[in-house]
Amino acid sequence: MKTTPSYRADIEGLRALAVVLVILYHYEVPGITGGFIGVDVFFVISGFVITQLLQRAFEKGTFRFRDFYARRIRRLVPLFLLVSTVTFLMISPFYIGDAYYIFAKSWLSSLVGLSNIYYFQELSQYFAPETRSLSLLHTWSLAVEEQFYLIWPLALYLAYRFGKGRDGHWPFRITLVGTFALSVYLASAHPAAAYYLLPARLFEFMLGTGVALFSRQLPALNRPSAEILAGLGLAMIIATGLLLTKHDHFPGYNALWPTLGTAMVIYAGLHQTRTLTARLLSLPVMVFLGGISYSLYLWHWPPVALLHYQLIELTWANRLGLILVVVALSWLSYRFVENRYRHRPWSFKKSFMVFIFVPLLIIWAIQSTIRIADDLSFRISEERRELYTIIAQNNAADLYKRCFKGDPTEFNKGKACLFGAEPENGQPDAMLIGDSHAIALLGFVEQLIGERHSMLVVTRASTPFVIPEHSANAFGDPEKTERNIALAEYLQQRPMTVFVNAWWSAYLQSDAFQRYFVDTVAWLHSQGHNVILIEDVPELPSSSYAECLLKNMDDCSIDAVEAEAQLSNFNRFKQTVQARFPDITWINPKKVLCDESRCQTVLNGIPLYRDESHLNHVGSTEIGRVYLERFGNPLHRQEKQTAPR
């Protein structure tokens, strides 16, 4: 154990507490609902430790920016390269398609300290990846810390050089309050940005820097005062780790409790080193875990992300096995990688070239290869490649992109978007309208219409048909409004059979959309159309379930009760429409998939989905075929009911 005056065993214990909270949270240990605050504890510690190091260097006149950043590179990057390379090799037999490419992109951004920005952008997209299976997701916090290291040394250097003899309390207090207020605002107005980006976390670093900068000017603590302050601080950390949940406002004001608690423990330890809290945090097991905390943090997430990707449940046996393996790997990598390189007297240029520039070129080459020509043949078996082709390469929106993309108002009315029978006089007698969920059901609808109808498909991403008078309020997007105006004009030309679908469960959460869709159905009905509303298929717990067969799962079904519970808003809409328009036809593909207890995601050996809520085209077609076999054609029954007597 170190015995230098700057070394504090209780801070190692704080690191241990922080990383243990994070690991228990990510391993879904019951009761640790707020363990994510461990990251924020690390931010306070980093602010304190780095400021102390900078202060000593400034006072001795030995500080050099190049030396500082060379040490940071040697301290952080070698282990990251080891863990990320092992992760790449570990996931290669399993991750396919976008999941594999997303890893490669995140690998590159993590190396250069920008993974928080990458994940913020990637996870804000409509088709965002499943976060629990992102192998390097945890590096977002390391990127935040590295970005702090870019700005703080220069800021403190300028303050030392030009601010001597001036009172620094007030500028610091104003900045601290301002950054905290910014965090509260961002957590409410822009929660994703607040979570991943530095501005909302800056006040946490500043709490640590404040203790380092002003501890000598703050009141000295006697033993009783230090005991109370440290004990209260530790209680604040533990309480938030147990009581907060991922649904709470965060970071913002809820991040103040664990971070202020951390600052209180650090401050009390500056004055009294033998408080009960300090002695607990200085226990050998805590010091050991704190010493390898960086390794623990890096190693703990990739294996559990792989388990999530493979849909393997986190049992107690799995958790215990993971913890034992991660601790062993962390100790080995701490001893043979972290300590091997961190103290080497390499220049900034050599450190940068060896640990940043050369690996950057290699990772970029890997990323480019995956993007341009990912040859699955050497990674997965032929049988799994065939299943993957069904899942990933049969997106109806891509197969029939001219019916889904393109000009929003001059939608394609040619043969490319006509299905079923040849149109009489060049005019279709049916339409399928809606968003990406509608075109995902194209294969199902094709089976129903056969050669009885000539159907024009007009769909667009995130643009269900809503009558023009409601479109502006519904979407706030002029392009979507113009699209629906053009579609309404076309629908006014003559009566047709109109199949309507949308991502019902998403839109109908809004009372406004309940009204918009009811009014849209009423308008279609008033135009003389034969309106057929197609219900949606069950949503999966995550997109990983779409690839269930690829993961060699014995049971690819999902809970039917949970699937039905998601339909409460849709059922309210359906009841309203049925009460007003009892002659409208409803077709429910879910009848093929679900019984009272389970809903299938595979039918006759065919994977049905391409993500958590969209069918793939082969699966959609198979559902339509089986529907006709089991229940007959609802269009035939409808024709008999409406035929003149």
Side-chain angles (χ1 to χ4, degrees), residues 450-525:
E451 294 296 321
R452 303 182 68 86
H453 290 284
S454 175
M455 183 177 71
L456 176 65
V457 175
V458 181
T459 58
R460 193 170 182 83
S462 306
T463 314
F465 178 61
V466 173
I467 53 176
E469 66 183 82
H470 290 321
S471 280
N473 291 330
F475 304 113
D477 182 343
E479 189 174 276
K480 294 180 180 180
T481 300
E482 291 169 6
R483 167 64 162 221
N484 280 331
I485 290 172
L487 185 52
E489 290 174 353
Y490 186 84
L491 286 162
Q492 287 175 303
Q493 293 179 10
R494 63 192 180 282
M496 290 184 286
T497 295
V498 180
F499 298 90
V500 184
N501 180 259
W503 189 7
W504 301 119
S505 61
Y507 292 110
L508 291 171
Q509 295 178 46
S510 161
D511 288 338
F513 264 100
Q514 291 271 349
R515 186 175 72 257
Y516 299 156
F517 280 132
V518 170
D519 289 350
T520 297
V521 172
W523 182 86
L524 288 168
H525 192 266

Side-chain angles (χ1 to χ4, degrees), residues 407-440:
D407 189 283
T409 56
E410 296 296 326
F411 47 85
N412 194 312
K413 306 177 189 70
K415 288 186 176 181
C417 296
L418 288 171
F419 297 83
E422 285 291 324
E424 294 184 12
N425 303 319
Q427 298 292 328
D429 66 345
M431 290 186 73
L432 171 63
I433 59 176
D435 55 11
S436 60
H437 284 240
I439 198 168

Side-chain angles (χ1 to χ4, degrees), residues 325-610:
V325 170
V326 165
V327 170
L329 286 173
S330 299
W331 178 78
L332 290 170
S333 55
Y334 170 76
R335 181 169 180 181
F336 296 108
V337 179
E338 278 194 75
N339 282 343
R340 182 176 181 181
Y341 292 104
R342 65 190 297 183
H343 300 300
R344 292 194 174 185
W346 289 3
S347 66
F348 172 79
K349 181 179 179 180
K350 183 174 182 179
S351 299
F352 179 82
M353 292 296 293
V354 171
F355 295 127
I356 303 290
F357 185 72
V358 172
L360 192 68
L361 293 179
I362 295 171
I363 295 171
W364 175 80
I366 292 172
Q367 177 190 316
S368 301
T369 302
I370 292 172
R371 181 60 173 172
I372 297 168
D374 180 19
D375 182 5
L376 296 177
S377 62
F378 80 95
R379 295 201 293 116
I380 64 176
S381 65
E382 182 177 353
E383 180 183 358
R384 293 178 69 222
R385 290 200 300 276
E386 292 174 357
L387 292 172
Y388 171 70
T389 299
I390 293 174
I391 296 166
Q393 298 177 11
N394 278 281
N395 176 2
D398 292 332
L399 296 173
Y400 306 105
K401 63 177 64 177
R402 283 177 286 186
C403 319
F404 185 69
K405 302 175 183 178
D407 189 283
T409 56
E410 296 296 326
F411 47 85
N412 194 312
K413 306 177 189 70
K415 288 186 176 181
C417 296
L418 288 171
F419 297 83
E422 285 291 324
E424 294 184 12
N425 303 319
Q427 298 292 328
D429 66 345
M431 290 186 73
L432 171 63
I433 59 176
D435 55 11
S436 60
H437 284 240
I439 198 168
L441 281 163
L442 173 58
F444 175 81
V445 179
E446 273 191 282
Q447 293 293 304
L448 301 186
I449 64 170
E451 294 296 321
R452 303 182 68 86
H453 290 284
S454 175
M455 183 177 71
L456 176 65
V457 175
V458 181
T459 58
R460 193 170 182 83
S462 306
T463 314
F465 178 61
V466 173
I467 53 176
E469 66 183 82
H470 290 321
S471 280
N473 291 330
F475 304 113
D477 182 343
E479 189 174 276
K480 294 180 180 180
T481 300
E482 291 169 6
R483 167 64 162 221
N484 280 331
I485 290 172
L487 185 52
E489 290 174 353
Y490 186 84
L491 286 162
Q492 287 175 303
Q493 293 179 10
R494 63 192 180 282
M496 290 184 286
T497 295
V498 180
F499 298 90
V500 184
N501 180 259
W503 189 7
W504 301 119
S505 61
Y507 292 110
L508 291 171
Q509 295 178 46
S510 161
D511 288 338
F513 264 100
Q514 291 271 349
R515 186 175 72 257
Y516 299 156
F517 280 132
V518 170
D519 289 350
T520 297
V521 172
W523 182 86
L524 288 168
H525 192 266
S526 71
Q527 297 296 315
H529 295 303
N530 174 26
V531 182
I532 299 176
L533 292 170
I534 306 176
E535 302 185 32
D536 223 343
V537 292
E539 290 190 34
L540 308 182
S542 75
S543 58
S544 293
Y545 279 80
E547 300 170 355
C548 175
L549 285 181
L550 291 173
K551 306 174 193 304
N552 300 316
M553 295 285 290
D554 294 328
D555 181 8
C556 287
S557 65
I558 62 172
D559 190 299
V561 176
E562 292 181 4
E564 183 65 28
Q566 298 175 351
L567 299 177
S568 57
N569 292 313
F570 172 78
N571 290 335
R572 182 157 58 99
F573 162 71
K574 184 176 180 178
Q575 289 168 5
T576 303
V577 173
Q578 285 178 324
R580 290 183 57 182
F581 309 103
D583 57 326
I584 283 178
T585 300
W586 297 80
I587 299 178
N588 186 4
K590 188 162 68 75
K591 290 166 60 177
V592 172
L593 305 180
C594 300
D595 57 25
E596 292 183 356
S597 59
R598 308 298 295 177
C599 291
Q600 303 302 319
T601 67
V602 175
L603 196 59
N604 298 324
I606 297 173
L608 303 176
Y609 289 78
R610 66 178 177 85

Side-chain angles (χ1 to χ4, degrees), residues 128-148:
E130 172 69 24
T131 57
R132 300 201 320 159
S133 59
L134 297 174
S135 303
L136 297 179
L137 179 63
H138 61 320
T139 63
W140 74 266
S141 64
L142 304 179
V144 169
E145 193 164 323
E146 289 159 14
Q147 290 157 23
F148 173 74

